[in-house]
Amino acid sequence: MKISYNWLKQFLNIDWTAEKTGELLTDLGLEVEGINAYQSVKGGLEGVVIGEVLTCKKHPNADKLNITTVNIGTDTPVQIVCGAPNVAAGQKVPVATIGTTLYTEEGEAWTIKKGKIRGEESFGMICAEDELGLGKSHDGIMVLNNDLIPGTPAAEIFEIENDQVFEIGLTPNRADAMSHWGVARDLKAGLLQKDVNLELITPSISAFHVDNRTLKIDVEVLNNELAPRYCGVTISGLKIKESPKWLQHRLKSIGLAPINNVVDATNYVLHELGQPLHAFDAAKIAGNKVEVKTLPTGTKFVTLDGVERELHEDDLMICDAEKPMCIAGVFGGLDSGVTEHTTSIFLESAYFNPVSVRKTAKRHGLNTDASFRFERGIDANTTQYALKRAALLIKELAGGEITCDVLDFYPKKIQDFEVRLSFDNVTKLIGEEISKETIKRILSSLEIKVNNVTEAGLGLTVPAYRNDVQREADIIEEILRVYGYNNVGNSKKLNASIASTTRFEDYKIQNVVGTQLASKGYYEIMTNSLTTPEYVSLIDQLKEEHNITMLNPLSNDLSVLRQSMLFSGLEAISFNINRKRADLKLFEFGKTYHDFNGTREEQKHLAIYVTGNQSHESWLSSNRKSEFFYLKGTIATILTRLGISKFNESVTKNELLSEGLNLGLGKNKFVDFGLVKKSVLKHFDISQDVLYADFNWDTILEFVKHNKIVYQPITKFPEVKRDFALLLDDSVTFDSINTIAKKTEKQLLKSVNLFDVYQGKNLPAGKKSYAVSFTLQDDKKTLTDKQIDKIMNKLKQNFENQLGAELR
């Protein structure tokens, strides 16, 4: 937000430098991000003086040039070659002296230098108004008032506006400071704390009166909820023309382009008082009636920028008896605005529902000065005051008469807030005792009314325009920012509390797993929980009715909370692949959100994504694609690290996966993992395989809490390995071999490993060969050959009996 220092001084007669004032504003919470110089004429006409043409004769070597001698207030007149057809002796003219920098219309700088023109020396330039930036005419040089004294700086004659403009990073809660008046109020409070007591000068409206009642516009507010207050007045007999220079300078200083005197007046009051206004051409209001209402979804409306938009049923519109004229609080219509042919207007000043305006502005992708203020909440109690202020300004600039009584629809007054403040709580939160008189002075300077005073605290009334100050803590924050954060001293005593936490805290477990994955080459990502509603249509498992929709979405693509972690991860994968990063190993801790018949649930997840090669290309190893068992190995190491060693495997029922497994125990599911469906990948323009694992983190945390870590020393006795080459039916799985082996020998058998699979030549049809190793170990003694042979024979018999296996 831009604030002109010259404009600010109209409210406070302050003589501080802009830098010092900017420091105070920043201390008050209105952070000044920069201070920029503004000049109504670029360069400020520095080096340009008033000159008197003493002589003028034709150039001997050029028909269209003249040689002049000009008195510029120095001891000796200077010779200047001039090509203007209207130059003549006796004129007072603006002269750019040697070294003066002028600017083209495009802003490019060029410097006046001593030179020779067709053999004659020239020591400056007699200027036309476009060359000085004072106008657009280039028909000839500027001829000035003959009373001017040669050598007088031109900046004094042309009243060049020099200003300092504050760039304020306004936080969304400070709706009260969205104007020069609002900033001046805060600045007055800050100055008072520094014992500088200045009066806040506000524009007077005492001259407002109705001249006649010849133009009445009927107003009907059909939706008081979206338009709690609506004011209007008509002004007739206007002459639309260019605004005076002072008004143009004010608008230009804050980055606004002047349009005409009526529109400029409404923009001026908007930035002066923070109240948006809109001027309708009264001749274009059909039926002399204004209706404030909503229209059916799909209604077409062409806005001021020439774009045809489809309205939503919740968009509040300003209409006449036949058609919509304006999107309330956001943007005007193409056919109802003020033009050079306008002679009478209906001037609107209103308070619109902030939430409604924000939704409408976002829905149509519009961001205007008016919507910026309405959606943050303006002061409803200044609506009529701003209307009268603007009406008087328009009369001053464009003539005319006020031709109806002020219309003011305000059925339910917005009430001020009642807050109780405890002196003890002020001291506790600030950490320093502030005197009661100082507290009362600060609150009064902020227009917070002190209703009653006790030894314990204050009863306060907060004005409605401070919609961010509704709690005791907010009041204390107001006191502190005006008192000054820098004025709060450091305590000599430091108090700290130690929180009692267990090693099973969520963030600690996340750190353990995150560190483990990072050590394996995985990168952690953080994606947006907001997503597009269209993703639920990719599979039947996700239901549209389970979406949690944002009441005030940033855009249609970010309008619901995600039901699955997969899609935001695939967006990241697609983004990286499109930038030549196809080998990816990613993980993310996050939440999914669901609405189950009105009950909203958040579920924690750990998502892992693997695609492309397992490692980067290297001469040490060949490229190896990431495949299912690579991901399964990663999952197994995570579960093992968390102490979850017992779980069952089953085929996943996750419809996002074309094939995969579920690991769990009983009804508890730990993780679903597998290959993402091609149809889902196609939606994200991903052509390579993507492996995905979805951990139910809530279940993981619950199981981790019940794990008991038991210390067991490493055995001193050696382990023994024995192998079987088993001829099996194709339908037999390794899991069945592993299960039978563990049941056969529960104490000494430590592990079973499949290290080779063979199918094909020299084997009977429907058969395969498994090479399986068995690791045996006794923690108390060394195993004998007799014990080992007994166990292996028993295993052989069970494989033969239960699986029909044969030793090869």
Side-chain angles (χ1 to χ4, degrees), residues 217 219 230 232-234 278-280 282 285 290 345-348 407:
I217 300 290
V219 175
Y230 191 87
V233 72
T234 61
H278 192 78
F280 297 92
I285 301 177
V290 169
I345 62 169
F346 174 73
L347 185 62
E348 166 197 279
L407 304 168

Side-chain angles (χ1 to χ4, degrees), residues 58-59 61-67 81-85 87 118:
K58 288 292 182 182
H59 193 295
N61 302 318
D63 293 338
K64 295 185 178 181
L65 297 178
N66 297 294
I67 299 174
V81 177
C82 179
V87 64
R118 294 290 182 93

Side-chain angles (χ1 to χ4, degrees), residues 20 293 296 312 459 524 633:
K20 188 176 179 181
K293 62 183 180 180
H312 187 274
E524 184 173 9

Side-chain angles (χ1 to χ4, degrees), residues 726 728 732-741 770 772 799 803:
L726 300 173
L728 303 159
V732 176
T733 63
F734 171 72
D735 184 58
S736 55
I737 296 173
N738 185 55
T739 302
I740 292 170
Y770 272 7
V772 185
F799 291 150
L803 301 176

Side-chain angles (χ1 to χ4, degrees), residues 498-524:
I498 299 175
S500 176
T501 60
T502 71
R503 58 192 178 88
F504 300 115
E505 292 288 339
D506 186 3
Y507 75 93
K508 291 184 178 180
I509 304 300
Q510 285 190 29
N511 285 340
V512 168
V513 174
T515 301
Q516 181 180 358
L517 287 169
S519 69
K520 291 180 172 291
Y522 285 79
Y523 287 91
E524 184 173 9

Side-chain angles (χ1 to χ4, degrees), residues 530-538 542-544 547-549 553 555-563 567:
L530 294 171
T531 188
T532 174
E534 69 179 41
Y535 285 157
V536 298
S537 63
L538 295 181
L542 301 178
K543 304 295 183 183
E544 186 176 353
N547 273 337
I548 296 178
T549 304
S555 67
N556 290 332
D557 290 336
L558 298 172
S559 59
V560 300
L561 288 167
R562 63 186 173 195
Q563 290 192 47
F567 304 124

